[in-house]
């Protein structure tokens, strides 16, 4: 039982209304995350750093791209152990929802007809991804593998979100590039742009969520007082 408590993030239920809001917030954030990925893919300006790493790694091992993506996710989750980062419902739903949301969006969103539209799609995707990250992490059900690495390092090092995320993305990009992964303009923009955006949005979303949860808890308590 102690091992399970150490591995899994407890679910804090603060009332029906607040819990329902947080679940909806989690689902909306994860769906938006998948939509954002599809926008950036359709932009055609380069792969995200983690995808560059996956392609570069696949060039040197007898595994498919999909298998490498799964393997990298496992490696990232193993890095959670020294950070004492625990798995939550959000971690599991991240794996189940983001991919299908991206696939559905790719089916309805055509590829960019030119570089101008492509650049616009990529930038919209980048901003939406940063917003989606703030939305689903602040729901407090646990982050996805890569975002959990970020939040774990922020907690353990005390460094700001934007710096930690930029270092992670930059390091992943460099390793992927050295392995032969494809790098485009969008790749570089993502690596050094997503950190500052998340650093701007995530704290604000967390304060907003904390304020709403506090009001919901106060209202539930007041309703119980005769």
């Amino acid at each position: 039982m102690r091992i399970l408590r150490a591995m899994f993030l407890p679910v804090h239920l603060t009332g029906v209304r607040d819990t329902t809001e947080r679940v909806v917030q989690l689902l909306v954030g994860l769906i938006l995350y998948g939509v954002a990925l599809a926008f950036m893919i359709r932009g055609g300006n380069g792969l995200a750093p983690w995808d560059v790493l996956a392609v570069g790694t696949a060039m040197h091992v007898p595994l498919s791209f999909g298998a490498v993506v799964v393997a990298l996710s496992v490696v990232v989750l193993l890095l959670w152990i020294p950070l004492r980062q625990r798995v939550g419902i959000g971690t599991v739903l991240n794996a189940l929802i983001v991919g299908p949301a991206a696939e559905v969006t790719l089916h309805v969103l055509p590829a960019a007809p030119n570089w101008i539209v492509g650049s616009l799609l990529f930038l919209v995707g980048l901003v939406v991804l940063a917003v989606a990250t703030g939305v689903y992490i602040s729901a407090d059900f646990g982050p996805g593998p890569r975002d959990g690495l970020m939040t774990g390092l922020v907690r353990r090092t005390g460094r700001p979100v934007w710096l930690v995320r930029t270092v992670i993305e930059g390091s992943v990009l460099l390793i992927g590039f050295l392995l032969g992964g494809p790098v485009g303009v969008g790749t570089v923009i993502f690596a050094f742009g997503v950190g500052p955006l998340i650093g701007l949005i995530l704290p604000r979303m967390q304060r907003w969520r904390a304020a709403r949860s506090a009001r919901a808890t106060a209202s539930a308590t007041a309703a119980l007082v005769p």
Side-chain angles (χ1 to χ4, degrees):
M1 186 64 69
R2 290 181 180 178
I3 295 176
L4 292 177
R5 288 199 188 104
M7 291 177 57
F8 294 96
L9 193 68
V11 178
H12 300 290
L13 303 178
T14 54
V16 175
R17 174 184 168 187
D18 182 60
T19 301
T20 301
E21 283 189 7
R22 287 169 53 216
V23 169
V24 171
Q25 181 179 329
L26 171 66
L27 296 176
V28 169
L30 292 176
I31 291 171
L32 284 178
Y33 200 105
V35 170
L37 290 178
F39 266 70
M40 289 188 290
I41 291 172
R42 288 301 189 219
N45 289 316
L47 300 175
W50 286 95
D51 294 327
V52 173
L53 176 61
V55 172
T57 301
M59 296 170 64
H60 300 276
V61 296
L63 295 173
S64 66
F65 173 77
V68 170
V69 170
V70 174
L72 288 175
S73 295
V74 173
V75 171
V76 172
L77 286 174
L78 290 175
L79 293 175
W80 282 28
I81 297 174
L83 297 174
R84 297 182 180 178
Q85 186 79 346
R86 292 185 287 180
V87 175
I89 295 174
T91 310
V92 177
L93 291 180
N94 185 289
L96 297 176
I97 293 176
V98 171
E103 287 290 339
V104 171
T105 307
L106 287 171
H107 278 299
V108 300
L109 183 67
N114 53 61
W115 70 270
I116 297 177
V117 176
S119 298
L120 181 60
L121 286 176
F122 181 87
L123 292 175
V124 169
L126 179 62
V127 173
V128 172
L129 185 139
V131 172
T133 300
V135 170
Y136 97 84
I137 289 180
S138 62
D140 197 25
F141 285 109
R146 300 169 188 176
D147 294 322
L149 179 62
M150 173 191 71
T151 55
L153 285 171
V154 167
R155 189 184 68 255
R156 297 287 286 181
T157 65
R159 302 296 182 181
V161 171
W162 72 266
L163 178 60
V164 171
R165 186 58 180 250
T166 300
V167 170
I168 291 174
E169 297 292 338
S171 300
V172 168
L173 172 58
L174 178 60
I175 296 171
F177 174 73
L178 293 176
L179 290 174
V183 175
V185 174
T187 307
V188 179
I189 294 174
F190 183 97
F192 298 101
V194 72
L197 280 173
I198 292 176
L200 180 68
I201 294 168
L202 180 56
R204 288 170 170 76
M205 287 300 306
Q206 289 175 322
R207 289 194 294 269
W208 173 81
R209 180 69 262 162
R212 284 195 63 85
S213 294
R215 287 197 295 270
T217 301
S219 297
T221 302
L224 295 175
V225 176

